[in-house]
Amino acid sequence: NDRAIAETVKGARVGQGFLKEVTGDIVKAGNWVFYTTPITKFPVLQKIHKTVMERVVTPIGKLSIRKATLEINPTKMVNGIAPNFVHSLDATLLAMTVLKLKEDGCTNFHLIHDSYGVPVNQVHNLNLRVRQAFKELFEDKPLERWVKQVHPEYEKQAEDVMINTLDLEDVINSGYIFS
């Protein structure tokens, strides 16, 4: 999967590298990552601490308990930022889509992470509204917003690494939006 993604969605690998670079710089300064998502302004905090293992002997056996320390775990911070950033955008897209559907009178939803369900008479509307929400979300340039919030003085900016090959109008007219 990793190789196929790297070949098919080249910008994903570039974006992932950029997120990791910026986060690495933040962690080197002893900080963690905090930002709000585009449009919905949902607060996101990534603060992953190092842990220590404590072993406890009980009447029923030995237990190993991991306890967080006050020290930030740089490896987990850097490796976790790309999936966490993408998940925050997934959540934003879902919220935006539901709000648009609600405006249209849809009141029944079956939602799990990035799986969207509505009554059959709302499927056409869901297809339209999720595309509109996607376009609106990415017109807001979420990667650019993110770096300005978490590390405004970083030497590279998001536009320096963007490939810019996605035409958002193509998304509106696409046959499929999710795989």
Side-chain angles (χ1 to χ4, degrees), residues 67-87:
K67 293 175 78 176
T69 67
L70 295 177
E71 193 177 347
I72 295 294
N73 186 323
T75 302
K76 289 189 176 187
M77 286 290 291
V78 168
N79 290 338
I81 193 60
N84 288 337
F85 178 71
V86 169
H87 289 313

Side-chain angles (χ1 to χ4, degrees), residues 43-91:
V44 179
L45 171 67
Q46 180 176 300
K47 187 178 180 184
I48 305 170
H49 294 269
K50 287 185 176 180
T51 59
V52 292
M53 185 76 75
E54 190 174 300
R55 300 197 192 291
V56 179
V57 178
T58 71
I60 58 171
K62 296 178 184 175
L63 296 174
S64 296
I65 301 170
R66 289 192 182 274
K67 293 175 78 176
T69 67
L70 295 177
E71 193 177 347
I72 295 294
N73 186 323
T75 302
K76 289 189 176 187
M77 286 290 291
V78 168
N79 290 338
I81 193 60
N84 288 337
F85 178 71
V86 169
H87 289 313
S88 74
L89 294 181
D90 286 345

